């Protein structure tokens, strides 16, 4: 498994190879942020992550129980702030 973090212009800012594909996303993230030269989130910034992660310092995941996947948005508009957020980050 290869985990990576991209900048807004889609350039890799951090890559962590070597984990098995069946490992939980949170475990890989915990490893990445606890390494000596690991992933660092600049002060005042957040990385947007997928629904496999939870919200935490420097990380924002989609709102749970709200539409998230692109297929569920086809021809529809957000009906609440949480859906709007999820739609924007997809």
């Amino acid at each position: 498994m290869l985990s990576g973090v991209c900048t807004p212009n889609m350039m890799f800012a951090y890559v962590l190879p070597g984990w098995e594909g069946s490992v939980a996303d949170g475990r890989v993230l915990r490893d990445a942020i606890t390494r000596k030269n690991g992933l660092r989130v600049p002060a005042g910034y957040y990385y947007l992550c997928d629904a496999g992660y939870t919200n935490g310092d420097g990380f924002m995941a989609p709102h749970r129980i709200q539409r998230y996947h692109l297929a569920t948005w086809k021809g529809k508009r957000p009906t609440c702030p949480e859906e709007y957020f999820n739609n924007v980050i997809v």
Side-chain angles (χ1 to χ4, degrees), residues 8-9 64 70 75-76 88:
N9 59 351
R64 304 224 183 249
L70 282 175
K76 299 176 184 170
V88 171

Side-chain angles (χ1 to χ4, degrees), residues 2-3 6 19 27 31 34 36-37 47 50 53 59-60 67 69 77-83:
L2 176 70
S3 296
C6 292
W19 279 93
R27 186 169 179 198
D31 179 45
T34 58
K36 181 179 177 184
N37 293 317
Y47 285 117
D50 68 20
Y53 299 90
F59 300 93
M60 291 176 62
R67 289 185 284 175
H69 295 284
R77 298 175 85 60
T79 60
C80 64
E82 293 83 4
E83 285 188 353

Side-chain angles (χ1 to χ4, degrees), residues 18-35:
W19 279 93
E20 297 175 9
S22 61
V23 71
D25 293 340
R27 186 169 179 198
V28 177
L29 178 59
R30 187 171 46 251
D31 179 45
I33 62 178
T34 58
R35 289 176 176 247

Side-chain angles (χ1 to χ4, degrees), residues 55-78:
N55 289 322
D57 291 339
F59 300 93
M60 291 176 62
H63 287 275
R64 304 224 183 249
I65 313 173
Q66 302 296 331
R67 289 185 284 175
Y68 168 64
H69 295 284
L70 282 175
T72 63
W73 289 103
K74 197 170 190 170
K76 299 176 184 170
R77 298 175 85 60

